[in-house]
Amino acid sequence: MKIDHIAIAVNNVESAAKEYQQALGIDNVEFETIESEGVKIAIIPLDNGRIELMEPTNDSSPIKKFLEKRGEGLHHMALETDNIEGEVKRMQGCGIQFLGKIRSGSAGTKVTFIHPKSLCGVLAELCSHPK
Amino acid sequence: MKIDHIAIAVNNVESAAKEYQQALGIDNVEFETIESEGVKIAIIPLDNGRIELMEPTNDSSPIKKFLEKRGEGLHHMALETDNIEGEVKRMQGCGIQFLGKIRSGSAGTKVTFIHPKSLCGVLAELCSHPK
């Protein structure tokens, strides 16, 4: 199990990316819109993972609701496993609750989300990258 | 720049550690009390970093205030650099604001914190490990 990325809700992904790039001294950034999740993301690469800045693309996006309630800030952590199906099965056997089934994320990844009530208030993405 | 750890505020660090260990399938955990920061932490090791669960040890702990205001959840992210003095100097040159000077953390680390207003609402620890 590895830390894959840390996801942060922001009001404006372009200006947030500039702030993060300047603060962390990082030149490269990639932008991607994931319509199915209602977000535009900026991916800030670090040596062992990524920071993802997320701006809602529509009013029904969960990120929009998060921003209205809590303002900008840490939204979820993402953990990577080689075997997402096996991990989900093992976790369900321990009573861990999930938000939705395993589904396709960006760039061929498979993703699902662990309910915050199973991890002390923390929303956690579980993901597998294509081999 | 690397992700060092993800820090989570919890009400009870022993029971939270058990939940995380069971959910993530991780046997080992270490506990440590950092009196200067007013926290007891559980360190959950991952392949490329750590999750740190933090319980306040006194009423003036910032973690106590966070829990009262927001409840359990993601508290800060920690980024590791080989050269904390150089990074702080570079960041201050960009207008990044810090919460306190570079100080000693646990196990010989040097730490400081970037003010959330410099990173879109995210509290970020900057740390260097002893070589």
Side-chain angles (χ1 to χ4, degrees):
Chain A
M1 193 84 73
K2 289 171 58 181
I3 298 171
D4 189 75
H5 64 270
I6 296 168
I8 296 164
V10 300
N11 293 319
N12 181 304
V13 76
E14 276 88 7
S15 62
K18 277 185 198 143
E19 275 183 53
Y20 270 77
Q21 285 182 272
Q22 192 180 40
L24 306 183
I26 290 168
D27 286 334
N28 43 338
V29 59
E30 282 180 37
F31 293 93
E32 186 177 339
T33 298
I34 307 173
E35 290 296 349
S36 60
E37 307 281 344
V39 289
K40 180 172 179 185
I41 62 173
I43 301 168
I44 313 277
L46 300 175
D47 292 349
N48 63 342
R50 311 183 304 284
I51 290 172
E52 291 193 5
L53 307 170
M54 307 182 296
E55 175 189 337
T57 54
N58 62 59
D59 286 348
S60 60
S61 165
I63 306 304
K64 179 83 174 179
K65 288 171 193 119
F66 179 93
L67 287 166
E68 284 169 357
K69 190 175 168 195
R70 320 252 320 219
E72 293 187 315
L74 291 167
H75 182 269
H76 70 266
M77 64 176 182
L79 303 176
E80 185 198 346
T81 167
D82 287 341
N83 175 11
I84 191 168
E85 288 85 1
E87 277 296 316
V88 167
K89 198 170 172 184
R90 184 189 62 73
M91 289 182 184
Q92 284 174 329
C94 301
I96 304 296
Q97 296 191 42
F98 286 84
L99 292 164
K101 293 187 191 297
I102 297 168
R103 49 199 187 269
S104 297
S106 65
T109 56
K110 294 181 192 176
V111 302
T112 185
F113 285 84
I114 300 172
H115 196 292
K117 70 180 164 188
S118 292
L119 286 176
C120 302
V122 174
L123 177 63
E125 179 181 335
L126 200 62
C127 63
S128 280
H129 293 293
K131 295 195 175 96
Chain B
M1 194 83 72
K2 287 170 60 181
I3 299 172
D4 188 74
H5 63 269
I6 297 168
I8 296 164
V10 298
N11 293 320
N12 181 303
V13 75
E14 275 88 7
S15 62
K18 277 185 198 143
E19 274 183 54
Y20 270 76
Q21 286 182 271
Q22 190 180 41
L24 306 182
I26 289 168
D27 286 333
N28 43 338
V29 58
E30 281 179 37
F31 293 93
E32 187 177 338
T33 298
I34 306 171
E35 289 297 349
S36 61
E37 307 281 343
V39 289
K40 179 172 179 184
I41 62 173
I43 302 168
I44 312 278
L46 299 176
D47 292 350
N48 64 341
R50 309 183 306 283
I51 291 173
E52 292 194 3
L53 307 170
M54 306 182 297
E55 176 189 335
T57 54
N58 62 60
D59 286 349
S60 59
S61 164
I63 306 305
K64 179 84 175 178
K65 289 172 192 116
F66 179 92
L67 287 168
E68 284 168 357
K69 191 176 169 196
R70 321 253 318 223
E72 293 187 316
L74 290 166
H75 182 267
H76 71 266
M77 64 177 182
L79 303 176
E80 185 198 345
T81 166
D82 287 340
N83 175 11
I84 192 168
E85 289 85 0
E87 276 296 315
V88 167
K89 198 171 173 184
R90 184 190 62 72
M91 288 182 185
Q92 284 173 330
C94 300
I96 304 295
Q97 296 190 42
F98 286 84
L99 292 164
K101 292 187 191 297
I102 298 168
R103 49 199 185 270
S104 296
S106 66
T109 56
K110 295 182 192 175
V111 302
T112 185
F113 285 84
I114 301 173
H115 196 292
K117 70 180 165 190
S118 290
L119 285 177
C120 303
V122 174
L123 177 63
E125 179 182 333
L126 201 62
C127 63
S128 279
H129 293 292
K131 293 195 176 95

